[in-house]
Each structure stands twice: as structure tokens, then as C-alpha cells.
Amino acid sequence: MSHKTSICCEKEDRQVLLLNASEEVIKIIDWYKAVTLLFSGKAEKPFNYEEYHEIRTSGGIYKLPTAIVLVEYVNIPYKNCHINRRNILRRDKFTCQYCEKVLSSSEYTIDHLIPRSRGGKNTWKNLVTSCRKCNTKKANRTPKEANMKLLKEPKEPTRDFIHITGINTNTNKAWSRWIEIKGDLNESI
């Protein structure tokens, strides 16, 4: 396997994939936490893995693996993905689910497919990202009643969704051994 390095200008770009001893994905951590785990002996470089971030230190360049694996298995209870505004926006890729407009932070709203006034609940299948114009047009109706077609049916994201969205696109290629990447990382939801 060829030796590959990733030199990042910003410390925030040095994301590290944290794996359990079984090599299942736990979460993404920052480079500082990764260095702490490595030097404390709690984690190590995965077997046969040669992807690194180069970190400049006073003593030279330190090669930090872009993925690390815990030495001992940690039992992590299953957690559902929390339903909140930010996660709905991430699931829908900050795109209006009616007109397909990519939205800025001042343009988006969260729409209830079945309006709250008609018994609609705050569930993954009932909430979508919408621009203000489409939300106003739909008003207190269902999409069918308003003759508005959804871009895609909303669903609950996988449990790994929050940990793997918004990652550095150069780094995620180095993690393809553990995370299936289909063009856009969010398509694996």
C-alpha cells in the first residue's frame, strides 16, 4: 500500500475517525483528542493503514493517522439520532424539499407535513426542510392538498448519521474502508 499524507492548513480540518476495537465506527474526533488517545496507549493506528495528517511540532513533523482504533472494546449502547432542527436540516442537505432550493441559514423553515393544528407530530417522517415561500404556500394543508410534491420521502437517519455528516471531503476518502461513500456522503443515510 502506498504511503499517503494529508497536509491541512487548518487544525479544524484534521478530523480523525475513532473506531472501536472491532473497527466499527464510533465517531469523528478532533486531532487533539486523537493524539491524547494514542499517547495514552488507549488507541493505535489500524492494521495496514497508511493515511496520515502531518502536524508540525517544535520537534519536527508528527504523522497522525486519519483513523485510530481503540485497543480495548468499548460497549456503546444503541442511540437513536436526536430529532432537532439542525439534524433535520442536515438530513435534507439544507435544501427545500418542495422547490429544491439550497437554503442559507436565514431562509429555511421546518415544515410539518401533517400540520400541528391537525395532529401532526414532531417525528422524522413528518418534518422536512422548507423555504419560507413554499412553507407559506403549503400553509395549513398536507402536501397533497396543496398540490406540492416532495423531493423525497422523509425518513429517520441511521445512527451513524450525525457522526459522519459534514466531514472534510479529503479525509472521508481515507475512511472508505469503514464508511461507504456514494458520491455525496449524506446519500448513505
Side-chain angles (χ1 to χ4, degrees):
M1 180 177 276
S2 64
H3 172 72
K4 298 178 183 176
T5 14
S6 164
I7 301 176
C8 302
C9 300
E10 301 290 329
K11 288 180 182 173
E12 293 79 29
D13 288 342
R14 295 182 184 137
Q15 298 169 318
V16 176
L17 186 65
L18 179 62
L19 305 165
N20 214 334
S22 61
E23 290 201 13
E24 67 186 310
V25 174
I26 295 178
K27 64 181 175 179
I28 295 169
I29 59 176
D30 63 46
W31 70 273
Y32 186 79
K33 176 71 174 171
V35 169
T36 303
L37 288 169
L38 286 166
F39 280 102
S40 68
K42 294 180 180 178
E44 60 190 13
K45 175 181 81 77
F47 177 75
N48 203 21
Y49 185 72
E50 300 300 326
E51 300 282 344
Y52 297 91
H53 292 302
E54 287 189 354
I55 299 178
R56 299 183 201 297
T57 68
S58 58
I61 293 178
Y62 175 70
K63 292 185 177 184
L64 173 66
T66 59
I68 59 174
V69 62
L70 293 176
V71 173
E72 293 184 24
Y73 183 83
V74 176
N75 186 22
I76 300 172
Y78 178 82
K79 290 183 182 177
N80 289 329
C81 186
H82 294 293
I83 186 165
N84 59 38
R85 183 183 253 342
R86 187 181 82 211
N87 289 344
I88 292 165
L89 293 167
R90 288 166 112 179
R91 177 199 66 190
D92 295 342
K93 302 176 195 170
F94 296 87
T95 302
C96 177
Q97 295 301 291
Y98 300 109
C99 71
E100 300 185 45
K101 179 181 178 186
V102 177
L103 306 169
S104 70
S105 59
S106 64
E107 297 175 305
Y108 67 79
T109 62
I110 302 297
D111 180 46
H112 287 75
L113 300 179
I114 299 172
R116 284 187 290 184
S117 63
R118 295 167 65 179
K121 305 285 184 206
N122 290 335
T123 65
W124 284 108
K125 293 182 178 186
N126 194 47
L127 298 172
V128 295
T129 303
S130 174
C131 68
R132 293 183 190 285
K133 184 178 176 183
C134 288
N135 202 344
T136 302
K137 179 181 173 185
K138 181 181 157 288
N140 197 26
R141 302 176 286 178
T142 66
K144 186 176 182 178
E145 293 168 345
N147 199 27
M148 297 173 74
K149 187 169 168 50
L150 280 170
L151 184 61
K152 64 180 179 187
E153 284 298 315
K155 63 181 182 176
E156 183 172 356
T158 62
R159 74 178 192 151
D160 296 331
F161 164 72
I162 298 307
H163 302 305
I164 64 174
T165 55
I167 64 174
N168 176 314
T169 55
N170 291 326
T171 305
N172 73 25
K173 291 174 188 155
W175 298 340
S176 62
R177 179 168 149 186
W178 301 281
I179 300 173
E180 183 177 349
I181 300 166
K182 302 175 185 175
D184 179 359
L185 189 61
N186 292 329
E187 290 176 15
S188 64
I189 298 169

